[in-house]
Amino acid sequence: MERTTERERFASRLKDAMAERGMKQADVIQMAADAGGKLGKSQMSQYVAGKTIPRRDVADLLARVLGVDAAWLLGAEGTDARDAGAPSRASARHEAASHPVSTEDGAREHAASTIRSTPMREFKKSSKLDNVLYDVRGPVNDEAEAMEARGEHILKLNIGNPAPFGFRTPDEVIFDMRQQLTECEGYSNSKGLFAARKAIMQYAQLKHIPNVDVDSIYTGNGVSELIQLCMNALLDTGDEILIPSPDYPLWTACATLAGGAPVHYICDEEAEWNPDLADIESKITSRTKAIVVINPNNPTGAVYSLDILQGIVELARKHQLMIFSDEIYDRLCMDGVKHISIASLAPDLPCVTFSGLSKSHMIAGYRIGWMILSGNKRCMRDFIMGVNMLSNMRLCSNVPAQSVVQTALGGYQSVERYVEPGGRVYEQRNYVYEALNAIDGVTAVKPKAAFYIFPKLDVKKFNITDDEQFALDLLHEKHILVTRGGGFNWEKPDHFRVVYLPRMGVLREAMEDLADFLSTYRQN
Ligand code: PLP
């Protein structure tokens, strides 16, 4: 019994010392050999597994290699891990200088046996990330990946990635990219290829966005890059920016990272998730610089009416705010709903409209998005200088992906088939909406666009106080991955987001599993 405890203690100290130095078993074996000792592979793995304790001479060798005290390593109580004889950084440098090496290999060996045995300081992430949240790929996702690594199958309803669910890129887009690949080897203009920007400009004209020329258009590695770029270009420390709640969390994350202060305005579930204009106005202060509109909305699937958009424009006009409008789902509207670009209603205000091909053309992986500066450009001259500087600094966006923008935006739009009756997105939306509302304790507003639904849970019935725990419990029990409502900067623990991209059969099974899970669920 006593021996077992000793072995365990030795193994645990050995593993700690190795982890602290970032060493694997093979590194220890190699360094022992470099130091003139002998250590076999199976011997080492037995030590790590706690199956045996080394002889004193081997323990001394291990201690030397790891730069720890041998007695401590062997499990003695009251000892310190630090080896008085372990070389400090300074002495390691001194030793290196006094034993000059003649070859590169010698230098590497020498470095390995001196510097690597010195405990390494820890590198912590920047405190700028302290309040940054991106739970679409957060801790629950990490747990799902760990489960997958163990061989378990997970149904991922957490991310709006069309390709894995059989939504294929239109053939013409692939064909055209192939044709142009050899012409896309160099950097492009930092804003993007002329032909791509011209096509985006024409698209802006069709959406009645005023005062747009080719120069007002920037391509990006997805809308994601441009959101980050704009937040960095605009926000000084403490500047406030109005962002919807729930939101697509990248907006809040990038505003925070840029040093800004995101202030969330409520989108009202009772009013089909429309922005609450009174709430917006109540949150405007002298530090508010801009308002973000996500229309069509992720995660709710709402599309805003002319009245609502005009209301937002009036507030922006009254309080002199810039408007950032994320319209990446504008071609995925259903039920005959017509999408209106807010910039078309605000020719006198500084506006930036974002869109891209990730969702409408099912090429999220190619990474191509854009932004269009419109309206009052005079008042955003300085901001534009900042945008240009940041755009130049990243050289340009992915050029092969830019080369298909013209093809994608012109001519027949295959995405329209998906969102009309009989189309996959349309039928899956109808099914998931009905199925969720049929579950006792779940209600959901019918989405009008995109491929997300944001259902509400009866927190009293399920005793839910922690939405991350809910998502984890569902993952563990049913192997279904969803994103918790809090991941979209929604304050209460009563929502989650479902991506309804999977084919009907899979979706049906997922909804049945969810219903089964909730039929007995009560959070502890
Ligand atoms: N904006 C919204 C509202 C989104 O939902 C997403 C992705 O899900 C993005 C932007 C990012 O898109 P991209 O692939 O263009 O970076």
Side-chain angles (χ1 to χ4, degrees):
M1 186 66 189
E2 182 56 24
R3 213 48 203 154
T4 311
T5 320
E6 262 177 54
R7 283 204 307 262
E8 280 167 359
R9 200 177 312 134
F10 163 71
S12 136
R13 290 185 177 183
L14 175 63
K15 283 186 280 190
D16 283 354
M18 285 166 63
E20 188 158 318
R21 285 148 192 79
M23 289 166 76
K24 300 202 180 85
Q25 292 184 30
D27 300 324
V28 178
I29 294 165
Q30 181 59 49
M31 284 181 67
D34 293 346
K38 232 179 147 194
L39 206 54
K41 257 193 196 168
S42 66
Q43 199 182 355
M44 187 65 201
S45 72
Q46 296 228 339
Y47 296 152
V48 169
K51 293 202 174 130
T52 179
I53 295 186
R55 291 191 317 262
R56 182 65 205 216
D57 58 328
V58 180
D60 285 342
L61 174 65
L62 281 169
R64 262 205 319 283
V65 165
L66 293 166
V68 295
D69 182 72
W72 172 83
L73 187 62
L74 283 168
E77 302 282 12
T79 50
D80 191 329
R82 185 170 305 164
D83 170 15
S88 66
R89 280 164 205 268
S91 71
R93 275 199 299 276
H94 174 75
E95 226 184 285
S98 57
H99 294 96
V101 281
S102 52
T103 64
E104 267 185 49
D105 283 351
R108 282 197 202 99
E109 265 172 38
H110 189 71
S113 61
T114 54
I115 298 165
R116 284 171 79 192
S117 63
T118 309
M120 193 69 185
R121 73 182 157 121
E122 198 185 339
F123 292 90
K124 299 211 160 195
K125 68 172 163 26
S126 155
S127 56
K128 291 199 290 291
L129 288 166
D130 282 353
N131 297 312
V132 173
L133 166 119
Y134 193 75
D135 269 10
V136 176
R137 277 189 163 150
V140 185
N141 186 64
D142 293 345
E143 173 63 7
E145 282 182 1
M147 289 167 73
E148 275 185 326
R150 294 198 294 269
E152 296 171 51
H153 175 74
I154 307 293
L155 176 60
K156 291 187 171 156
L157 304 182
N158 68 315
I159 194 161
N161 192 12
F165 299 106
F167 287 96
R168 303 312 314 265
T169 308
D171 289 348
E172 199 184 346
V173 170
I174 308 259
F175 179 83
D176 285 12
M177 186 183 273
R178 277 211 182 108
Q179 295 289 341
Q180 299 179 82
L181 210 46
T182 52
E183 289 147 40
C184 299
E185 288 165 358
Y187 296 128
S188 66
N189 175 299
S190 87
K191 291 182 183 178
L193 297 171
F194 179 84
R197 288 188 291 143
K198 184 81 186 180
I200 296 163
M201 189 190 108
Q202 286 167 341
Y203 187 71
Q205 285 169 352
L206 293 178
K207 303 224 49 179
H208 308 290
I209 300 179
N211 194 15
V212 178
D213 52 23
V214 170
D215 235 22
S216 324
I217 292 166
Y218 299 71
T219 62
N221 294 306
V223 165
S224 306
E225 184 190 31
L226 299 171
I227 292 174
Q228 183 159 13
L229 192 152
C230 280
M231 295 299 94
N232 281 331
L234 181 74
L235 296 173
D236 271 317
T237 306
D239 279 348
E240 290 171 13
I241 179 162
L242 289 157
I243 298 178
S245 167
D247 70 345
Y248 174 59
L250 188 66
W251 281 101
T252 302
C254 290
T256 307
L257 201 51
V263 175
H264 290 110
Y265 65 85
I266 294 293
C267 292
D268 183 4
E269 189 168 19
E270 302 294 312
E272 297 202 295
W273 288 116
N274 273 313
D276 180 334
L277 296 176
D279 188 59
I280 294 178
E281 182 145 39
S282 74
K283 287 176 175 160
I284 297 174
T285 73
S286 57
R287 293 223 64 174
T288 312
K289 266 192 167 169
I291 180 162
V292 174
V293 177
I294 303 174
N295 176 39
N297 189 269
N298 174 7
T300 64
V303 184
Y304 304 152
S305 66
L306 181 62
D307 280 356
I308 291 287
L309 293 171
Q310 271 170 338
I312 296 173
V313 169
E314 268 163 38
L315 288 176
R317 194 171 280 136
K318 181 168 159 198
H319 297 279
Q320 307 216 338
L321 307 179
M322 255 184 100
I323 298 176
F324 290 98
S325 187
D326 182 342
E327 303 182 355
I328 193 158
Y329 300 99
D330 70 337
R331 280 154 291 173
L332 287 165
C333 292
M334 290 173 270
D335 309 327
V337 171
K338 195 172 167 296
H339 179 263
I340 303 167
S341 266
I342 192 168
S344 69
L345 309 174
D348 55 328
L349 298 179
C351 296
V352 188
T353 305
F354 300 80
S355 195
L357 300 183
S358 289
K359 317 291 177 171
S360 60
H361 291 75
M362 315 294 172
I363 51 173
Y366 289 6
R367 312 308 296 130
I368 174 71
W370 56 82
M371 63 179 179
I372 304 166
L373 274 51
S374 70
N376 186 339
K377 299 218 187 104
R378 183 128 38 107
C379 69
M380 55 172 161
R381 261 183 317 208
D382 205 50
F383 166 74
I384 292 173
M385 279 168 65
V387 166
N388 287 343
M389 176 179 271
L390 292 172
S391 175
N392 288 334
M393 280 160 62
R394 54 92 209 230
L395 297 173
C396 67
S397 71
N398 178 335
V399 184
Q402 290 180 44
S403 76
V404 297
V405 170
Q406 193 180 14
T407 304
L409 287 184
Y412 174 66
Q413 298 293 298
S414 56
V415 70
E416 285 170 11
R417 271 206 336 263
Y418 291 129
V419 292
E420 61 194 26
R424 271 191 68 188
V425 174
Y426 179 90
E427 297 299 333
Q428 288 165 199
R429 185 272 314 250
N430 285 0
Y431 170 72
V432 93
Y433 166 72
E434 300 287 344
L436 283 166
N437 280 295
I439 300 174
D440 195 18
V442 180
T443 50
V445 174
K446 194 172 194 175
K448 295 194 182 81
F451 29 66
Y452 310 103
I453 188 164
F454 199 54
K456 181 176 187 176
L457 293 159
D458 181 339
V459 282
K460 275 211 185 105
K461 177 176 164 57
F462 302 118
N463 195 37
I464 293 175
T465 52
D466 180 344
D467 56 0
E468 185 168 301
Q469 191 56 50
F470 162 76
L472 276 172
D473 292 341
L474 178 63
L475 175 68
H476 288 142
E477 201 173 315
K478 295 293 183 186
H479 292 195
I480 296 174
L481 177 62
V482 295
T483 308
R484 70 188 183 103
F488 304 96
N489 293 296
W490 182 252
E491 270 196 356
K492 297 190 202 129
D494 59 353
H495 281 75
F496 64 105
R497 187 188 74 172
V498 173
V499 173
Y500 55 82
L501 284 169
R503 286 187 188 280
M504 202 62 111
V506 180
L507 214 48
R508 195 163 274 133
E509 217 174 293
M511 289 302 109
E512 282 166 11
D513 279 352
L514 177 67
D516 186 51
F517 170 78
L518 286 172
S519 67
T520 53
Y521 186 65
R522 264 190 80 76
Q523 199 167 88
N524 296 321

